Amino acid sequence: MALNGVLRPGFVQVRVLDMAEAIVHYRDRIGLTLVSTESDGRVYMKAYDEFDRHSIVLRECDEAGLDLMAFKVCSEASLDDFATKLAAGGYEVTTVAAGEQPGVGRRISFMAPTGHRFDLYAEIELSDNGPMTNNPDVSQLDPQGMKAIRFDHCLLYGGDIDGTKKVFEEILGFSISEMVVDDDTGMIIALFLTCSNKAHDLALVRHEEDGKLHHVSFLVEDWSSIGAAADIITRYDVSRDIGPTRHGITRGMTIYFFDPSGNRNEVFAGGYHYYPDNPLRVWKASSVGKAIFYYERELNDRFMTVVT
Amino acid sequence: MGKAAFRVSVEGSDKVITCLADETLLKAMARQGISNIPVGCRNGGCGVCKIRVTKGEYETGKMSIKHVTQVERDDGYALACKAFPKSDLTVTVKNEE
């Protein structure tokens, strides 16, 4: 498979209640680098192994949650092509001018049926301290905190996940790697979408309220990194949700916790590689405990219902 | 001199939460192994631990306006994870679910 069209999750813009606390959390605990603070107050960050300028944008607001998730596409031509196809599919596509975020080129933006705003862009400046390319060491800056390697994916909650599935599958070229379905009706309850070789780049769960954020996830190296993250979570009294544990879905090893504004974060490692010829993996809702938490084999209420 | 401790009664529960002066109500509850207020994100974002204070004085940290509007704040509503008791309190759980 040659990777074309949508390449990967590029950045998320997250609302935080208190910027000073958020910076400590994302920089010192998760280990992101603070790239810049702009005149409108937004703070831009990146993980140490990302080439692009930023991947996490924090915006102070009196309400927590997600402003938007953006995917990087392979070219300006591809961006135009997606704009045309989205419009033809009945989506209202708006253009965000280059420079609305520092270093980011023109974006196109649409609202998905689950009430989430997604942006696409092709151009973003390279970071000054991304991965080395000349006789490259494993890192240029010493990884800090939980040593997040990259922003990896989001899980979002909303009503019409069938509708969002349709736009991502039919227009943006994503594949479904796994899903959870109701035992009797077959209704999709949870959906794992990939535009790449990863087990998921975006996940969706059916929920009565639209536009909700379940978590923003960061990749870490391995199982011992999850343990090290757990130590940091206790050492600095970070609000923990669940883990260390493992997912049946994607097989990722994981720990979940909350940022100081209540937005859920995950650091995870491992999981399988996906290829577009892989058969769809399906979980029945009656086995969802094992699907989500492979070791506990049962869900906790907080994980299922707490969103921002 | 010990830290001031306040007693918080949750309506419908016989478990009384003892809360230190610099401690949130939700943290005090969890520390004592009590679970008469639902626990969510613990950081003011999700609204799961919403309460209404019917008696007593308290202060609050930053809470998502979506879950506790200004009108509600003026009317004694708060999130237990962001409520710092300043006297003995009586509270009612107002979980939105």
Side-chain angles (χ1 to χ4, degrees), chain A residues 275-294:
Chain A
Y275 286 90
D277 63 333
N278 289 172
L280 175 66
R281 301 164 206 236
V282 180
W283 299 81
K284 295 282 172 59
S286 54
S287 293
V288 74
K290 198 163 89 171
I292 306 293
F293 300 128
Y294 194 68

Side-chain angles (χ1 to χ4, degrees), chain A residues 206-224:
Chain A
R206 193 181 296 277
H207 185 65
E208 65 267 20
E209 198 178 351
D210 276 345
K212 306 308 285 184
L213 169 66
H214 186 273
H215 70 262
V216 174
S217 183
F218 300 89
L219 179 71
V220 292
E221 186 104 17
D222 54 20
W223 190 219
S224 72

Side-chain angles (χ1 to χ4, degrees), chain A residues 17-18 62-64 209 212 237 239-240 258-262 302 305-307, chain B residues 27 39-46 48 62-67 73 82 97:
Chain A
L17 301 175
D18 184 297
D62 57 12
E63 179 184 344
E209 198 178 351
K212 306 308 285 184
D237 199 22
S239 174
R240 185 182 65 98
F258 295 97
D259 81 3
S261 307
R302 181 168 57 235
T305 58
V306 170
V307 289
Chain B
K27 188 163 269 189
V39 178
C41 73
R42 305 184 189 90
N43 284 338
C46 78
V48 164
K62 290 184 177 176
M63 303 178 286
S64 197
I65 199 88
K66 178 182 167 58
H67 298 295
R73 288 171 202 213
K82 290 287 184 177
E97 289 175 324

Side-chain angles (χ1 to χ4, degrees), chain A residues 235-267:
Chain A
R235 167 67 181 84
Y236 293 99
D237 199 22
V238 174
S239 174
R240 185 182 65 98
D241 188 0
I242 189 168
T245 184
R246 186 184 182 113
H247 293 305
I249 296 170
T250 75
R251 300 198 209 122
M253 297 158 280
T254 177
I255 185 164
Y256 286 96
F257 50 100
F258 295 97
D259 81 3
S261 307
N263 300 303
R264 191 186 280 95
N265 298 143
E266 173 188 42
V267 294

Side-chain angles (χ1 to χ4, degrees), chain A residues 191-202:
Chain A
L191 194 59
F192 297 78
L193 300 119
T194 175
C195 60
S196 67
N197 230 191
K198 291 155 57 189
H200 60 335
D201 289 297
L202 173 68

